[in-house]
Amino acid sequence: MEEKKNQPISFAERISKILKATQQEVEELAVQFSLGKAEATSKFEEIKKEFNTKSNEWKNSFVKTEEAGQDAFMKMKGKLEELQLQLSLGKAEGKELFEEQRKKIVHAIHDLQNEYRSNPEWNEKLSEFNEEVEKFKLKLEMLKMKFEDKSFQVKEGFQKEMLNAKIEIDQFLNKAEEKFEKAGKKYSNFSEEISSVYNHLKNAVKKL
């Protein structure tokens, strides 16, 4: 048991852990909104700060892997910093300010993703960060609904899709480990399994 505890966590385990956290956090946020235990403005600030912290961690990690003199790297670093700038804007008091900030953040995320997807090596290095991006976007969608005064109800359709997502996540680790020998330990080789999980989560949010 001790030997297993000291073994480094595998790629599949890291991604599985992030997917599981995403499923749990989305479900918890839906329940909080349905019970009136979360206020939109403060929750928006909370998730922006959390994601900004993740962005900074990955920016620092990324800096250590590239030569700062490279034009392409400096462009990538600039995209990360632009995202952080948008995440650092003040409180969104009301629907209009939220929507203004949301659009700017989503645009910055889109630019960042386009930048690192154009380079397969970067896409691999930022694979875990990409999962944090997807989690953040799911929460943004829920916040948009909350700012629009939607009455949240945890309906049967939501619960069913969340259960499907949980099943997919539980199966992901075994599937990924089985594919390693044939496909290689690359994030891109498991995009189908990961996308399937997010499709269930997105469908769950739509059913709120």
Side-chain angles (χ1 to χ4, degrees), residues 56-68:
N56 198 51
E57 289 175 2
W58 284 101
K59 186 181 73 171
N60 292 337
S61 174
F62 191 62
V63 165
K64 295 175 183 177
T65 66
E66 302 290 339
E67 296 178 10

Side-chain angles (χ1 to χ4, degrees), residues 39-42 44 48 90-104 140-150:
E39 191 268 329
T41 298
S42 59
F44 186 36
K48 281 194 298 181
K91 279 189 176 183
E93 300 285 357
K95 178 182 174 181
E96 290 185 3
L97 284 177
F98 164 76
E99 188 59 20
E100 181 181 338
Q101 286 194 24
R102 185 191 70 82
K103 286 181 178 178
K104 289 180 178 178
L140 271 186
E141 187 60 30
M142 296 172 73
L143 278 165
K144 181 180 178 182
M145 296 161 67
K146 184 65 175 177
F147 270 100
E148 291 174 348
D149 296 322
K150 176 178 174 60

Side-chain angles (χ1 to χ4, degrees), residues 16-176:
S16 179
K17 184 178 179 180
I18 293 173
L19 291 173
K20 188 171 293 185
T22 299
Q23 185 265 330
Q24 292 173 342
E25 289 176 32
V26 167
E27 189 168 28
E28 288 170 5
L29 185 57
V31 170
Q32 287 175 5
F33 281 155
S34 69
L35 296 176
K37 293 185 176 181
E39 191 268 329
T41 298
S42 59
K43 182 58 69 172
F44 186 36
E45 284 302 298
E46 180 184 318
I47 71 166
K48 281 194 298 181
K49 288 178 181 177
E50 289 175 354
F51 189 52
N52 203 4
T53 298
K54 289 290 183 181
S55 299
N56 198 51
E57 289 175 2
W58 284 101
K59 186 181 73 171
N60 292 337
S61 174
F62 191 62
V63 165
K64 295 175 183 177
T65 66
E66 302 290 339
E67 296 178 10
Q70 294 181 352
D71 291 341
F73 165 66
M74 293 305 293
K75 191 174 180 180
M76 177 69 180
K77 184 171 177 284
K79 297 294 185 183
L80 275 165
E81 290 175 347
E82 175 61 26
L83 172 58
Q84 289 187 297
L85 174 64
Q86 298 304 326
L87 290 167
S88 299
L89 297 178
K91 279 189 176 183
E93 300 285 357
K95 178 182 174 181
E96 290 185 3
L97 284 177
F98 164 76
E99 188 59 20
E100 181 181 338
Q101 286 194 24
R102 185 191 70 82
K103 286 181 178 178
K104 289 180 178 178
I105 292 170
V106 170
H107 181 73
I109 288 174
H110 180 72
D111 283 351
L112 173 62
Q113 289 181 313
N114 283 341
E115 190 64 35
Y116 69 69
R117 282 172 180 166
S118 68
N119 189 311
E121 183 181 358
W122 288 349
N123 197 31
E124 292 298 327
K125 290 175 181 175
L126 294 170
S127 59
E128 292 174 46
F129 177 64
N130 192 51
E131 301 315 309
E132 295 292 343
V133 167
E134 294 304 317
K135 176 168 67 175
F136 179 73
K137 286 163 66 176
L138 280 166
K139 291 182 179 181
L140 271 186
E141 187 60 30
M142 296 172 73
L143 278 165
K144 181 180 178 182
M145 296 161 67
K146 184 65 175 177
F147 270 100
E148 291 174 348
D149 296 322
K150 176 178 174 60
S151 177
F152 274 74
Q153 296 182 26
V154 179
K155 303 174 184 176
E156 183 179 349
F158 173 83
Q159 294 174 327
K160 181 178 179 180
E161 290 294 345
M162 294 302 283
L163 178 60
N164 288 336
K166 185 178 184 301
I167 292 171
E168 291 274 359
I169 295 167
D170 290 340
Q171 293 175 344
F172 170 78
L173 186 58
N174 289 333
K175 287 182 179 178

